[in-house]
Amino acid sequence: MNHTPSAAAPERSTHGADASTGPSPRFSRQSAMAVLVCWLLVVFDGYDLIVYGTVQASLINDTGWGLTKATAGTVGSMAFVGMMIGAIFAGRMSDTWGRRRTILGCAILFSVFTILCAFAPNAPVFGGLRLLAGIGLGGLVPSANALVAELVPAKWRSTIATLMMSGVPIGGSIAALVGIPLIPAFGWPVMFLIAVIALLVVIPVGLRYLPETLPPVRAGDEAKEPAGFGSLLRAPFLGMSVLFAIATLVTLFAWYGLGTWLPNLMQLAGYNLGSALTFALALNLGAVAGSVITAWAGTRFGPIPTAIAAAAVAAVALVVLVAGPPVTVVYLMLVLAGIGTHGTQCLVIAAVASHYPPHLRGTALGWALGVGRIGAVAAPQVGGLLLAAGLGVNSNFLAFAGAAAVAAILLGAIGIKITSKPTTSVGASNV
């Protein structure tokens, strides 16, 4: 396989990992570099998502924009609205126009508008810039996962997809770490200027190493099945498409709700900014650990059974926080919550990538993540409204725990459906 980086000589994704029965000789250094670039872009994706949680208190207290907890939640939701739009359309675009163009376009979009956030004069402009950045953020993940699924052997697809998503909490951890010294020293705008690194370093590397793929050539009956949402929402994919989308919705509600509100919640609970950000760091480090643990467990036991366990762990950990345990236990529960919530989402992505045939993979990932972003949009709003209603910090933890529990139930339904009726996808691995 010749992975040319030039868009002028694209390759068709008829090979992919699906045809591989073992370690593929076509997984070359070029392919490894392409996977690395996708992972680095996901790191910046994760940074950009979590950075709002690190600056939220500063935006409320220091900008003079008149933000309240409820309106700060609305502003926080704007990026997720953009992500919903980006995920739905970029996944479809990557199946039609090619992965490379879509990935790089999304990366440029979120980098530019994230940088511009540092210069926003008021809350409406800031929210609008976050929405535009969110379109790029939302489009990157399904497109990058679709490309990586085509570059690795089928038996490693679940593991690599899960490990690649470790970039999200790693980016979030970086946001929490750099926020502790930088926000007090330079103010909140500096946190958004860090996106310059993605624009000037990672994207040029992507131009060099990301291969272009075109819609796969299909023969026989497969050629009659077009790549598009219509194919997802009819037999034999309808039931699974709906279940995957709703499971993603509630999982993202829990994960991004915590990511957006945790530093502020811990400040409301009496901790200072530095301590509150270390709690956010614990959550994200747990998510990093969860990516590794669930990658191994997903390969050993299957993505769906492992995801059920991960979601249940997250629900229990968040309920324990309601009891007001000692600070050491708080850290431990936040680590477990990070393992559970983010690990569940990684495993759902891996299952979707394996369940659908190659020509629907990007569309299916975009569908699940796009609909799932409804949960990400709702979470900052719900968290702010619960606090504004005077229901206290614990109301947020209970809401996010409930979402994780619902995710476990829905994933159980997916597991039953998969067990009762073998998947019809081409080259699917065990999900």
Side-chain angles (χ1 to χ4, degrees):
M1 174 174 72
N2 179 26
H3 286 293
T4 175
S6 172
E11 61 182 54
R12 288 194 176 272
S13 58
T14 53
H15 50 274
D18 299 277
S20 178
T21 57
S24 172
R26 291 170 295 189
F27 188 62
S28 61
R29 176 179 178 274
Q30 181 92 16
S31 298
M33 287 299 299
V35 172
L36 177 61
V37 168
C38 288
W39 179 80
L40 288 172
L41 290 174
V42 172
V43 169
F44 278 97
D45 190 299
Y47 175 92
D48 206 296
L49 288 172
I50 303 301
V51 70
Y52 182 76
T54 68
V55 304
Q56 187 180 65
S58 298
L59 294 177
I60 293 173
N61 299 323
D62 302 335
T63 60
W65 290 351
L67 287 173
T68 65
K69 293 181 178 64
T71 55
T74 301
V75 172
S77 295
M78 297 306 291
F80 300 121
V81 172
M83 291 177 71
M84 179 172 60
I85 298 169
I88 291 175
F89 289 102
R92 178 70 179 91
M93 286 164 53
S94 73
D95 280 340
T96 305
W97 297 346
R99 317 297 192 203
R100 180 179 187 265
R101 296 179 182 90
T102 307
I103 291 169
L104 292 174
C106 289
I108 292 169
L109 189 68
F110 81 68
S111 298
V112 169
F113 285 108
T114 295
I115 293 167
L116 291 177
C117 285
F119 306 100
N122 52 53
V125 171
F126 181 88
L129 292 171
R130 289 291 288 168
L131 186 148
L132 293 170
I135 294 175
L137 293 169
L140 176 67
V141 171
S143 304
N145 274 281
L147 176 62
V148 169
E150 293 166 357
L151 296 177
V152 300
K155 70 175 185 176
W156 295 108
R157 186 180 300 141
S158 176
T159 301
I160 296 300
T162 305
L163 288 175
M164 195 177 76
M165 291 308 295
S166 68
V168 174
I170 288 174
S173 299
I174 292 171
L177 278 172
V178 302
I180 293 172
L182 290 185
I183 294 175
F186 302 104
W188 64 267
V190 70
M191 298 295 289
F192 294 93
L193 294 175
I194 290 175
V196 169
I197 299 172
L199 188 64
L200 298 183
V201 178
V202 182
I203 292 172
V205 175
L207 285 168
R208 169 66 179 85
Y209 287 106
L210 289 182
E212 184 60 281
T213 58
L214 293 177
V217 175
R218 302 185 299 280
D221 291 338
E222 283 185 298
K224 299 176 183 177
E225 182 183 44
F229 296 113
S231 297
L232 296 182
L233 301 178
R234 63 171 179 260
F237 299 112
L238 174 60
M240 294 298 289
S241 296
V242 172
L243 286 172
F244 274 129
I246 300 175
T248 303
L249 187 155
V250 293
T251 302
L252 292 182
F253 180 91
W255 168 242
Y256 287 120
L258 285 169
T260 300
W261 278 107
L262 184 62
N264 198 266
L265 291 174
M266 303 316 287
Q267 283 183 278
L268 292 173
Y271 298 94
N272 60 34
L273 175 63
S275 297
L277 290 177
T278 60
F279 286 120
L281 180 61
L283 177 73
N284 283 281
L285 289 177
V288 174
S291 298
V292 177
I293 294 168
T294 56
W296 170 82
T299 301
R300 175 68 178 80
F301 303 106
I304 295 301
T306 307
I308 295 169
V313 165
V316 171
L318 291 170
V319 169
V320 170
L321 289 177
V322 175
V327 66
T328 303
V329 177
V330 172
Y331 278 111
L332 176 61
M333 291 303 103
L334 287 173
V335 169
L336 291 176
I339 291 173
T341 53
H342 184 72
T344 300
Q345 186 54 43
C346 290
L347 290 160
V348 170
I349 289 173
V352 172
S354 294
H355 183 74
Y356 292 87
H359 68 285
L360 288 175
R361 187 173 291 134
T363 304
L365 287 164
W367 160 260
L369 288 167
V371 174
R373 298 301 176 189
I374 296 172
V377 170
Q381 296 262 30
V382 170
L385 291 173
L386 289 172
L387 292 174
L391 297 178
V393 169
N394 285 342
S395 64
N396 272 241
F397 290 133
L398 287 173
F400 304 143
V406 171
I409 295 170
L410 291 169
L411 290 165
I414 290 173
I416 292 170
K417 192 172 180 66
I418 289 173
T419 302
S420 63
K421 184 177 181 180
T423 180
T424 59
S425 67
V426 177
S429 63
N430 176 33
V431 295

